[in-house]
């Protein structure tokens, strides 16, 4: 295998991993606060179509990115209102958000089908970004570097910052956090909004970077892979980063193998692997010593009603 | 021209059921002929359904106020389809085009209930007294782009982004490869299956992987322009699918195989108007204009354009058959001796690859 091919493989792998990493980072924070939002796919699609629409209309991809985050956050607020304020079932509401997002993005996108935009510019000078070797470090979309920065930020936030500790406390025991005076609902609203914005950003990666266009269901189910990734990473940001690249490798290596004329395993099997890996990790977590058994936030998915 | 989605048609159907059927029928006889169309995808897919809708518009334009076309888009292949087809029949459409393979059984079922309504089903194989079928020989177009690929490729290696290995796709891969080998006998086609008709991110990654392996020309049998965009980014050539997709890849897009159902729709509607409609079974190609070739990119040298036109015209006149022998399969066994061609019934079930295809 030549260096050029190896570099290309790494670059497609990183490209496939980045949008699910972005979306999963947001979901990780949401789940750490004790909320399960299954609407990732819907929020990603809303982010994708908004990013494309705004970039196409204004000509500014940066504006498109900001709009995608705002749109993802706005969509997540519907979920937050229903589940946090009205204490609706989180699983059902999250699934509804996904279905809603598919329909809404298709409606908004009607006028953008068949159009194209130039997408995001590189941030490093062309001498580095286009260099045959240098491109493996410098040749990515700005969103790739942003996803790495965000991983570090989320890791720091959850373990080192006061706000992050409060968020985790709420996710582990909302009653206790409430009784010592923290506003459970307010923190969860903020967490869900952050999750929505990150999902929107993940969606924007598809419509501005991966394939600079809009078409119905552009994300083609990647939101579910991002959800699985959070469990796979057992709610740890750095493990999430590794998991995203592993999932990215699973999703793209089969294509490279087949392009090289190598048929190792059936493609259907590889398509199934991210989910299979998640089940295996879940099983391992369940049978591991008690220290790891508590990887999932204790209040995950449970509605909270303030009492007293 | 009226436009409906599934929900509107359901609401509409309640009204139709409530009203005496006579009103609808009388209106249909006195006014324009109502013609219905059922699409599997959104008309904005820029692929299959988009092409059918363009043809519907052409028919509407051709007949003016003599006909009224109604369409329903995004109809899933399943129970939904049967309901939508029945509603269209109940609403007074006298000729209904159901434009996806999966609409076959629902069409046959509804046709039994509406013997005075005529149905036209695309790409299927079941007919009835009031159900005709039609299909296009897209592989003829593949032979034209294969010729271009053979001449434009420096590496002699094409990448082919495939959806699923059904005969329709296998025919395309073989016709493409055979035509390219007429120009360059050592030409090979590397296929990567994405196992989906539509997954833009995966289609793009598949195209990139093929380009990494030295393929300098990309062909696709999936529905999104994503492989074309990947080719454009990497500076290799590619071909559009179903529609002219040059806007997505101004430098990479050499030409596209276009689906032109217009002439067939106009033909059948004319017969319906004349009271001469009868169930047919047609499989038309370039000759009848059902399969078209989009304008060539200016990048293409004159001799390539000429060679492509020669193949196109040769197929149209019947001089060239894309599956004329000798044809050997991947193992080197001669499947079709010189002087023979693969007959239609075998083409319809084609399940082996010609030599030079790596899948």
């Amino acid at each position: 295998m030549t260096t050029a091919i190896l570099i290309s493989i790494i670059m497609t792998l990183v490209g496939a991993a980045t949008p699910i990493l972005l979306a999963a980072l947001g979901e990780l924070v949401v789940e750490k606060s004790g909320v399960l939002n299954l609407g990732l796919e819907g929020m990603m699609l809303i982010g994708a179509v908004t990013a494309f629409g705004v970039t196409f209309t204004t000509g500014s991809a940066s504006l498109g990115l900001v709009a995608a985050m705002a749109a993802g956050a706005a969509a997540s607020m519907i979920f937050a209102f229903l589940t946090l304020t009205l204490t609706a079932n989180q699983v059902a509401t999250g699934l509804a958000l996904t279905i809603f997002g598919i329909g809404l993005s298709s409606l908004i996108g009607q006028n953008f089908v068949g159009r194209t935009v130039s997408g995001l510019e590189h941030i490093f000078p062309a001498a580095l970004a286009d260099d045959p070797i240098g491109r493996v470090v410098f040749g990515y979309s700005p969103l790739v570097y942003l996803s790495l920065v965000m991983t570090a930020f989320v890791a720091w936030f959850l373990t080192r910052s006061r706000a992050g500790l409060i968020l985790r406390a709420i996710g582990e025991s909302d009653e206790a956090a409430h009784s010592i005076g923290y506003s459970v609902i307010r923190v969860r609203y903020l967490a869900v909004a952050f999750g929505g914005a990150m999902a929107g950003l993940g969606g924007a990666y598809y419509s501005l970077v991966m394939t600079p266009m809009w078409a119905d269901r552009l994300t083609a189910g990647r939101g579910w892979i991002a959800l699985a990734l959070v469990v796979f990473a057992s709610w740890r940001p750095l493990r999430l980063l590794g998991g995203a690249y592993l999932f990215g490798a699973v999703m793209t290596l089969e294509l490279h193998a087949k392009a090289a004329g190598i048929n190792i395993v059936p493609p259907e099997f590889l398509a199934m692997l991210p989910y299979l890996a998640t089940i295996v990790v879940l099983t391992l977590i369940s049978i591991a010593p008690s220290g790891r058994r508590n990887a999932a936030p204790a209040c995950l998915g449970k509605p909270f009603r303030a009492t007293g | 021209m009226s436009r409906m989605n599934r929900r509107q048609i359901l609401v509409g159907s309640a009204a139709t059921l409530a009203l005496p059927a006579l009103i609808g029928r009388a209106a249909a006889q006195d006014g324009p002929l109502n013609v219905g169309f059922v699409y599997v995808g959104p008309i904005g897919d820029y692929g299959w359904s988009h092409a059918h809708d363009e043809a519907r518009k052409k028919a509407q334009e051709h007949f003016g106020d003599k006909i009224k076309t109604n369409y329903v888009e995004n109809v899933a292949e399943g129970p939904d389809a049967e309901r939508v087809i029945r509603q269209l029949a109940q609403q007074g459409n006298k000729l209904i085009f159901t434009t996806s393979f999966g609409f076959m059984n629902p069409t046959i079922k509804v046709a039994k209930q509406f013997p005075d309504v005529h149905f036209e089903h695309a790409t299927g194989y079941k007919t009835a007294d009031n159900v005709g079928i039609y299909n296009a020989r897209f592989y003829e177009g593949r032979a034209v782009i294969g010729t271009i690929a053979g001449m434009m490729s420096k590496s002699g290696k094409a990448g082919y982004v495939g959806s699923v290995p059904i005969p329709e796709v296998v025919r395309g891969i073989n016709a493409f490869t055979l035509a390219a080998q007429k120009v360059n006998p050592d030409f090979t086609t590397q296929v990567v299956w994405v196992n989906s008709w539509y997954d833009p991110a995966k289609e793009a990654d598949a195209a990139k992987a093929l380009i990494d392996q030295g393929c300098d020309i990309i062909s696709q049998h999936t529905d999104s322009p994503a492989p074309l965009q990947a080719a454009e980014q990497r500076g290799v050539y590619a071909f559009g699918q179903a529609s002219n997709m040059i806007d997505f890849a101004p430098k990479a897009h050499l030409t596209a195989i276009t689906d032109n159902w217009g002439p067939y729709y106009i033909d059948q509607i004319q017969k319906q108007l004349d009271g001469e409609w009868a169930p047919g079974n047609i499989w038309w190609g370039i000759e009848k204009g059902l399969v078209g070739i989009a304008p060539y990119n200016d990048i293409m040298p004159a001799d390539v354009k000429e060679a492509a036109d020669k193949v196109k015209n040769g197929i149209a006149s019947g001089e060239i058959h894309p599956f004329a022998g000798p044809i050997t399969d991947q193992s080197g066994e001669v499947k079709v001796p010189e002087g023979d061609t693969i007959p239609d019934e075998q083409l319809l079930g084609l399940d082996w690859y010609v030599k030079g295809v790596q899948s």
Side-chain angles (χ1 to χ4, degrees):
Chain A
M1 196 185 299
T2 67
T3 320
I5 291 179
L6 190 64
I7 286 175
S8 279
I9 289 177
I10 293 171
M11 291 189 76
T12 33
L13 178 163
V14 171
T18 297
I20 58 171
L21 174 61
L22 286 167
L25 272 174
E27 179 69 12
L28 186 143
V29 172
V30 175
E31 293 191 10
K32 273 289 187 188
S33 81
V35 180
L36 179 66
N37 184 356
L38 296 180
L40 270 191
E41 177 82 357
M43 297 188 295
M44 285 174 86
L45 280 168
I46 290 172
V49 73
T50 309
F52 187 87
V54 170
T55 307
F56 181 76
T57 317
T58 66
S60 161
S62 328
L63 215 56
L65 287 181
V66 174
M69 289 200 286
S76 74
M77 284 298 97
I78 303 171
F79 170 86
F81 178 72
L82 289 169
T83 57
L84 301 178
T85 305
L86 304 181
T87 60
N89 181 296
Q90 292 181 7
V91 171
T93 312
L95 290 174
L97 179 59
T98 284
I99 298 165
F100 170 69
I102 292 170
L104 182 70
S105 61
S106 165
L107 181 73
I108 299 173
Q110 273 181 349
N111 296 323
F112 302 121
V113 170
R115 308 296 174 89
T116 180
V117 293
S118 57
L120 283 174
E121 299 286 332
H122 287 304
I123 44 173
F124 292 104
L128 290 172
D130 293 341
D131 181 79
I133 304 291
R135 66 194 178 109
V136 75
V137 179
F138 302 107
Y140 300 101
S141 151
L143 284 183
V144 170
Y145 306 106
L146 181 65
S147 71
L148 298 175
V149 172
M150 288 308 292
T151 308
F153 169 75
V154 168
W156 170 84
F157 173 80
L158 288 176
T159 52
R160 297 278 180 271
S161 82
R162 185 178 162 77
L165 293 177
I166 294 171
L167 181 135
R168 277 169 57 198
I170 286 171
E172 293 300 337
S173 175
D174 44 16
E175 294 289 349
H178 175 69
S179 67
I180 55 170
Y182 293 122
S183 173
V184 173
I185 299 300
R186 199 173 59 127
V187 170
R188 285 186 176 169
Y189 257 99
L190 289 171
V192 170
F194 175 75
M198 292 297 284
L201 206 53
Y205 188 89
Y206 289 105
S207 63
L208 293 185
V209 181
M210 186 82 103
T211 53
M213 62 171 183
W214 168 254
D216 273 11
R217 296 196 183 208
L218 188 68
T219 56
R222 301 296 191 286
W224 301 110
I225 295 188
L227 269 172
L229 179 59
V230 177
V231 181
F232 178 83
S234 48
W235 294 270
R236 292 181 191 190
L238 294 179
R239 220 176 268 178
L240 191 75
L241 179 68
Y245 288 140
L246 185 69
F247 281 21
V250 168
M251 289 190 285
T252 54
L253 277 185
E254 51 146 337
L255 300 172
H256 283 281
K258 270 187 292 180
I262 309 164
N263 290 311
I264 326 161
V265 276
E268 293 83 358
F269 178 78
L270 285 164
M272 182 183 84
L273 263 186
Y275 305 104
L276 190 68
T278 305
I279 293 170
V280 170
V281 169
L282 267 181
T283 314
L284 289 177
I285 290 174
S286 308
I287 59 175
S290 58
R292 290 187 61 199
R293 193 176 301 155
N294 299 326
C299 293
L300 185 59
K302 290 182 192 144
F304 172 75
R305 278 189 191 84
T307 47
Chain B
M1 224 184 310
S2 77
R3 183 200 157 125
M4 289 174 276
N5 62 30
R6 258 177 296 174
R7 266 149 214 88
Q8 282 164 328
I9 204 172
L10 289 179
V11 174
S13 71
T16 317
L17 286 173
L19 286 170
L22 273 174
I23 297 177
R25 297 254 163 97
Q29 274 161 13
D30 295 337
L33 168 71
N34 275 283
V35 183
F37 293 83
V38 189
Y39 306 139
V40 68
I43 56 169
D45 68 355
Y46 237 71
W48 184 253
S49 295
H50 178 78
H52 283 284
D53 197 58
E54 288 298 305
R56 176 191 63 80
K57 286 187 205 157
K58 273 189 195 138
Q60 181 72 64
E61 207 175 291
H62 179 85
F63 290 105
D65 53 12
K66 277 196 278 184
I67 66 165
K68 182 172 172 289
T69 56
N70 310 292
Y71 71 85
V72 189
E73 59 180 323
N74 253 329
V75 179
E77 297 178 327
D80 247 15
E82 193 185 318
R83 202 163 58 225
V84 169
I85 298 166
R86 185 175 297 118
Q87 303 304 351
L88 283 170
Q90 278 170 347
Q91 285 170 348
N93 292 286
K94 290 295 165 197
L95 180 61
I96 298 173
F97 293 91
T98 55
T99 65
S100 187
F101 179 78
F103 296 157
M104 180 165 69
N105 290 330
T107 303
I108 296 289
K109 208 167 160 189
V110 176
K112 272 192 197 134
Q113 297 159 350
F114 293 87
D116 60 335
V117 175
H118 296 151
F119 296 85
E120 286 277 342
H121 176 241
T123 72
Y125 53 82
K126 288 187 187 171
T127 55
D129 286 345
N130 58 338
V131 181
I133 51 177
Y134 62 105
N135 200 352
R137 296 180 188 266
F138 294 113
Y139 66 86
E140 296 185 348
R142 301 268 167 199
V144 177
I145 65 169
T147 307
I148 299 170
M151 296 179 80
M152 296 294 285
S153 169
K154 289 192 182 72
S155 65
K157 196 175 162 195
Y160 208 105
V161 181
S163 47
V164 280
I166 56 170
E168 165 71 29
V169 180
V170 173
R171 273 199 301 275
I173 293 168
N174 286 341
F176 174 85
T177 309
L178 287 171
Q181 285 170 348
K182 295 235 163 59
V183 182
N184 173 2
D186 298 324
F187 193 90
T188 58
T189 302
Q190 179 68 51
V191 185
V192 169
W193 300 105
V194 294
N195 291 299
S196 166
W197 286 99
Y198 179 81
D199 183 341
K202 201 169 177 188
E203 291 171 49
D205 279 343
K208 286 177 200 162
L210 285 162
I211 297 164
D212 288 341
Q213 291 296 331
C215 300
D216 61 357
I217 201 149
I218 298 293
S219 183
Q220 67 177 93
H221 206 141
T222 50
D223 286 340
S224 92
L228 264 172
Q229 287 186 322
E232 180 88 359
Q233 282 171 8
R234 296 288 185 91
V236 304
Y237 297 124
F239 301 98
Q241 165 89 352
S243 303
N244 188 348
M245 292 180 168
I246 185 122
D247 289 346
F248 289 98
K251 289 197 285 274
H253 185 281
L254 292 177
T255 181
I257 301 170
T258 57
D259 310 356
N260 305 321
W261 303 101
Y264 181 70
Y265 288 169
I266 290 170
D267 206 50
Q268 294 304 304
I269 294 169
Q270 186 63 52
K271 284 184 182 150
Q272 176 76 24
L273 284 168
D274 298 343
E276 287 169 1
W277 185 91
N281 174 2
I282 66 108
W283 197 17
W284 289 352
I286 288 177
E287 184 205 349
K288 300 268 195 175
L290 217 57
V291 177
I293 301 294
Y296 300 129
N297 195 315
D298 290 336
I299 294 170
M300 271 166 61
D303 61 324
V304 181
K305 289 181 188 171
E306 225 170 273
D309 276 336
K310 213 175 136 196
V311 172
K312 188 172 90 175
N313 298 333
I315 290 172
S317 70
E319 266 170 63
I320 296 177
H321 191 296
F323 289 105
I327 300 175
T328 47
D329 69 5
Q330 282 173 312
S331 67
E333 186 195 336
V334 177
K335 292 287 250 192
V336 185
E338 185 144 16
D340 272 11
T341 56
I342 304 182
D344 278 359
E345 55 271 25
Q346 279 179 35
L347 278 181
L348 285 167
L350 201 65
D351 61 354
W352 51 272
Y353 298 99
V354 301
K355 193 168 162 250
V357 174
Q358 284 143 15
S359 66

